[in-house]
Amino acid sequence: MTIDLHTHSSVSDGTASPADLVRAAAAAGLEVVALTDHDTTAGWVEAVAAAEECGIGLVRGIEVSARYRGAPVHLLAYLPDPRDQALQAELGRIVAGREERVPAMLARLRELGIPATEAALAEVSPSNRVTGRPHVADLLVRLGVVADRDEAFARYLADGKAAYVDRYAADLISMIGLVDAARGVAVVAHPWGRGSAPVLDERAFAELAGAGLAGVEVDHLDHDAAARSGLRAIAGRLDLIVTGSSDHHGTGKTGHGLGCETTAPGQLRRILDRAAALGSPTGLVGRARR
Ligand SMILES: [Zn+2]
Ligand SMILES: [Zn+2]
């Protein structure tokens, strides 16, 4: 069974619509895919319809932008109740913070002499409901200022670069609590990838586990073999669920093809069982025809 538990649609910074993403996952031979757009559940309804149509299992999730001891940490929230008001209110604050940040970054770029207008941005991200730095990066590519998203981040958009603007992020410990209270399953995304590695040591994981963290994403392209074995060992000692995923963004990020990293069936079972035990109304959907 091929299971990929971390993908993005055009609702956040991927390039395919939720329905097309789910269809592409089925066409790629995946049996279960999770849709985990940044800070929103807006793609869920469309993804469910597509999953039921093609008979692929769909796990509904969110990748939440959080912060722990000053460092950015991404938290995957699987199967929470999308009607949970406290969770949605916090997601709303994150999205609002990102939306205020984009005009501020465009203004910095204009100060640098780059014609980065809101109208030009709208042309590169017409269908995106959550805009952010990747879209500004795409605009810089479109304007011929840089060759690709990576260069845009390295030269302008990364923390400390000329057009970087800080923004609101949820506190990681509180967000784990919110996800748990919304009867979802919290898994730290690519913990030893960009940015968060220095703060997420074993003591930190123990603290997070105490706050309700259920799992850790180990098999991710940001992690080399040593990082994976280190994280797997920590997960084993703390009895955390271990996941693996592509972090697919469509054509927006190269090398992250659907199913390039996968999660073991027994680990998915632990996620589904935990959500069910919490009384989550958001189970696995779309497998009826298999
Ligand atoms: Zn991430
Ligand atoms: Zn992601």
Side-chain angles (χ1 to χ4, degrees):
M1 177 146 71
T2 311
I3 301 163
D4 184 345
L5 293 183
H6 181 168
T7 70
H8 298 270
S9 77
S10 57
V11 165
S12 62
D13 55 348
T15 51
S17 69
D20 285 345
L21 173 74
V22 168
R23 289 187 197 110
L30 299 187
E31 285 167 80
V32 176
V33 68
L35 175 68
T36 54
D37 277 311
H38 293 287
D39 311 310
T40 181
T41 58
W44 284 16
V45 170
E46 187 185 321
V48 167
E52 280 169 352
E53 167 199 306
C54 30
I56 184 175
L58 173 72
V59 172
R60 284 162 283 178
I62 313 160
E63 185 175 21
V64 184
S65 308
R67 198 161 287 162
Y68 180 71
R69 295 190 193 153
V73 177
H74 284 174
L75 184 71
L76 293 159
Y78 292 115
L79 306 168
D81 182 350
R83 295 162 305 182
D84 187 273
Q85 291 188 2
L87 177 62
Q88 287 291 359
E90 187 66 1
L91 294 176
R93 276 190 282 277
I94 299 168
V95 171
R98 189 187 280 112
E99 281 170 355
E100 287 163 17
R101 173 197 217 188
V102 167
M105 286 190 294
L106 295 178
R108 295 247 176 121
L109 288 168
R110 288 196 298 273
E111 283 165 22
L112 296 169
I114 297 164
T117 62
E118 306 235 6
L121 183 72
E123 277 175 37
V124 296
S125 60
S127 65
N128 298 93
R129 275 170 266 186
V130 176
T131 56
R133 281 189 296 173
H135 307 104
V136 179
D138 289 346
L139 174 60
L140 290 171
V141 174
R142 167 83 74 97
L143 291 171
V145 175
V146 294
D148 54 29
R149 277 186 180 182
D150 286 345
E151 189 187 349
F153 275 82
R155 287 179 54 196
Y156 295 101
L157 304 176
D159 192 349
K161 300 299 174 184
Y164 177 80
V165 175
D166 199 12
R167 69 177 168 93
Y168 179 77
D171 172 71
L172 180 62
I173 298 274
S174 326
M175 185 43 85
I176 289 170
L178 279 176
V179 171
D180 197 60
R183 295 175 283 172
V185 180
V187 173
V188 174
H190 47 75
W192 289 357
R194 36 193 151 130
S196 48
V199 298
L200 289 174
D201 56 12
E202 181 154 3
R203 270 183 66 180
F205 276 112
E207 182 191 2
L208 300 178
L213 182 73
V216 53
E217 186 179 60
V218 172
D219 291 307
H220 185 284
L221 290 174
D222 282 3
H223 295 151
D224 60 17
R228 293 177 196 217
S229 64
L231 284 168
R232 220 178 282 281
I234 290 173
R237 288 192 287 272
L238 295 173
D239 196 28
L240 293 168
I241 297 166
V242 169
T243 69
S245 310
S246 66
D247 204 356
H248 181 70
H249 282 71
T251 56
K253 204 173 190 181
T254 51
H256 291 253
L258 285 162
C260 69
E261 302 280 358
T262 59
T263 297
Q267 302 297 310
L268 171 62
R269 177 43 53 204
R270 291 176 72 186
I271 292 173
L272 299 176
D273 287 350
R274 183 169 172 126
L278 290 167
S280 170
T282 315
L284 183 71
V285 290
R287 310 243 10 237
R289 292 186 200 173
R290 288 225 164 206

